């Protein structure tokens, strides 16, 4: 059923980053969300970006977009170091905010961001497209049902080769680095499964021009769970996680955008014996930006928009404020540990 104009969430995009281009393309088929305007630092750049992406309106400043009464919500794909400032300003302007991961650079910033959202009566969420995938929703349901028992070990990794040349992902001034870019995904997956913040982290990293080019960290939890994450800007692309419990094991690529046209899948092994085999769990594959944006729209409009297709009330298929705050504190502690060469307690 088509949505009424009143139900459609009109989104404005801050900046003209490549990921914003991908977001706009991914959201285009939606009947719940429309990207109605974009903004950049100059009218020329904003107009060109709007024309190239097929967006109807543009603004020559971020401030003008925040002041646009036709915009319900902001998508914030700015460099990591600007996430907190512009998300808070958007909340103060009465706009809901879908902020790209990582939400911010420190736990204190995260708390301030959610405080601004509460004060102004708007929703603020952190964008991890894989969280809105039916694959992830099914995986989380398995864990919560006790299908693999009590969690004991999690290993999660994401890495790729960063192209040569200037890149905001490699800028220390813009809070770049492999952990903040790629490693935030494994950290978020572990927090989602563990349902608690780690109590201690211990990390090592290879550094280049002030940012980590590769990093590995061990996370300890009060429950007894142990987890390990790795991130890299200098490997062949890979993204995989293993979640091991007392009664089974899950293996998942936790992809943002599984290949369309065929089912997405992960593997689950039930039981503790060596004779137990992995079985495939297949789900629908969606464009992650589309799934995320429609879930966000359901939250904003107070209607069910779950990719799982269940529930009658508003549901956000992503990180809760508590999770995002914990992720921010964890990322901050991991970098502190890697720089200091010692464990850090949270």
């Amino acid at each position: 059923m088509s949505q009424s104009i009143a139900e459609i969430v009109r989104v404005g995009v801050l900046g003209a980053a490549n990921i914003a281009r991908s977001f706009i393309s991914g959201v285009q088929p939606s009947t719940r969300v429309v990207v109605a305007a974009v903004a950049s630092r100059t009218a020329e750049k904003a107009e060109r970006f709007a024309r190239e992406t097929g967006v109807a309106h543009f603004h020559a400043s971020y401030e003008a977009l925040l002041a646009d009464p036709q915009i319900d919500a902001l998508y914030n794909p700015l460099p990591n170091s600007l996430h907190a400032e512009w998300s808070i300003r958007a909340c103060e302007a009465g706009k809901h905010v879908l902020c790209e991961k990582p939400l911010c650079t420190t736990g204190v910033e995260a708390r301030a961001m959610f405080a601004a959202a509460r004060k102004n009566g708007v929703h603020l969420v952190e964008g991890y497209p894989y969280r809105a995938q039916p694959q992830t929703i099914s995986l989380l349901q398995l864990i919560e049902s006790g299908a693999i028992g009590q969690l004991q070990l999690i290993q999660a990794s994401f890495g790729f080769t960063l192209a040569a040349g200037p890149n905001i992902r490699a800028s220390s001034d813009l809070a770049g680095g492999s952990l903040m870019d790629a490693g935030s995904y494994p950290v978020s997956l572990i927090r989602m499964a563990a349902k608690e913040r780690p109590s201690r982290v211990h990390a090592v990293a290879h550094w280049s021009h002030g940012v980590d080019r590769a990093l590995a960290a061990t996370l300890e939890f009060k429950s007894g769970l142990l987890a390990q994450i790795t991130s890299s800007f200098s490997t062949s692309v890979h993204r995989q996680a293993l979640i091991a419990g007392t009664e089974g094991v899950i293996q998942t690529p936790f992809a943002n955008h599984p290949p369309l046209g065929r089912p997405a899948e992960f593997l689950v092994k039930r039981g503790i014996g060596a004779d137990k085999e992995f079985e495939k769990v297949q789900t629908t594959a969606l464009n992650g930006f589309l799934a995320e944006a429609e879930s966000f729209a359901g939250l904003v409009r107070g209607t069910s928009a779950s990719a799982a297709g269940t529930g009658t009330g508003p549901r956000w298929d992503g990180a809760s404020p508590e999770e995002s705050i914990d992720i921010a504190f964890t990322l901050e502690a991991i970098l502190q540990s890697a720089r200091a060469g010692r464990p850090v307690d949270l």
Side-chain angles (χ1 to χ4, degrees):
M1 181 181 297
S2 61
Q3 302 295 311
S4 71
I5 292 175
E7 293 175 318
I8 294 173
V9 175
R10 295 172 60 84
V11 175
V13 175
L14 288 170
N18 285 334
I19 195 169
R21 195 179 297 270
S22 298
F23 176 84
I24 293 168
S25 176
V27 170
Q28 195 278 329
S30 178
T31 60
R32 301 175 64 92
V33 178
V34 61
V35 176
V38 298
S40 190
R41 294 293 192 182
T42 68
E44 179 183 8
K45 188 173 182 181
E47 190 277 335
R48 183 172 64 250
F49 187 67
R51 183 178 66 252
E52 292 173 351
T53 56
V55 176
H57 302 285
F58 66 89
H59 293 284
S61 70
Y62 300 158
E63 291 86 352
L65 178 61
L66 266 58
D68 187 339
Q70 299 301 313
I71 297 300
D72 304 307
L74 271 295
Y75 171 62
N76 183 354
L78 296 173
N80 299 337
S81 59
L82 299 177
H83 283 183
E85 175 189 353
W86 284 99
S87 293
I88 289 173
R89 292 181 69 168
C91 290
E92 291 172 343
K95 311 298 186 187
H96 305 282
V97 181
L98 170 57
C99 183
E100 260 302 323
K101 61 79 205 165
L103 184 72
C104 53
T105 60
T106 70
V108 170
E109 281 185 343
R111 284 177 172 163
M113 292 167 76
F114 285 108
R118 288 193 301 271
K119 180 179 179 181
N120 292 281
V122 295
H123 293 289
L124 164 68
V125 298
E126 182 178 17
Y128 289 101
Y130 82 92
R131 287 290 304 263
Q133 288 288 346
Q135 179 184 83
T136 306
I137 295 167
S138 179
L139 180 151
L140 187 56
Q141 290 171 343
L142 271 176
I143 293 174
E144 291 176 343
S145 73
I148 63 170
Q150 183 178 350
L151 299 187
Q152 299 293 303
L153 296 169
I154 304 178
Q155 297 173 319
S157 183
F158 184 22
F160 54 89
T161 297
L162 192 65
N167 194 307
I168 63 171
R169 290 169 165 167
S171 169
S172 58
D173 291 338
L174 298 178
S178 75
L179 175 69
M180 297 297 277
D181 189 71
S184 58
Y185 286 103
V187 169
S188 73
L189 178 77
I190 290 167
R191 174 58 181 83
M192 177 191 76
K195 299 189 181 302
E196 62 176 318
R197 187 193 302 181
S199 57
R200 171 177 284 199
V201 300
H202 193 183
V204 294
H206 292 162
W207 301 90
S208 177
H209 303 289
V211 300
D212 59 295
R213 299 286 299 190
L215 181 143
T218 298
L219 287 62
E220 303 175 43
F221 293 82
K222 290 181 179 178
S223 64
L225 171 69
L226 291 175
Q228 295 175 313
I229 67 111
T230 60
S231 59
S232 178
F233 281 161
S234 56
T235 65
S236 176
V237 63
H238 64 284
R239 181 167 171 153
Q240 188 68 34
L242 182 146
I243 305 170
T246 55
E247 301 294 333
V249 178
I250 292 172
Q251 293 182 356
T252 177
F254 66 111
N256 281 342
H257 313 288
L260 303 179
R262 65 176 188 268
E265 61 184 36
F266 63 92
L267 302 177
V268 58
K269 182 176 72 171
R270 305 168 194 263
I272 62 174
D275 60 326
K276 305 299 182 181
E277 297 184 356
F278 281 97
E279 60 185 84
K280 293 181 180 179
V281 177
Q282 295 188 329
T283 60
T284 302
L286 303 174
N287 177 285
F289 289 128
L290 177 60
E292 173 183 79
E294 295 207 331
S295 180
F296 178 56
L299 180 67
V300 168
R301 293 302 185 219
T303 60
S304 179
S306 168
T310 60
T312 56
R315 169 174 169 171
W316 161 242
D317 294 310
S320 67
E322 293 75 19
E323 285 179 286
S324 289
I325 289 170
D326 285 352
I327 291 166
F329 274 108
T330 302
L331 292 171
E332 183 181 8
I334 288 172
L335 282 177
Q336 182 182 349
S337 174
R339 291 190 178 107
R342 57 174 176 79
V344 169
D345 294 328
L346 279 79

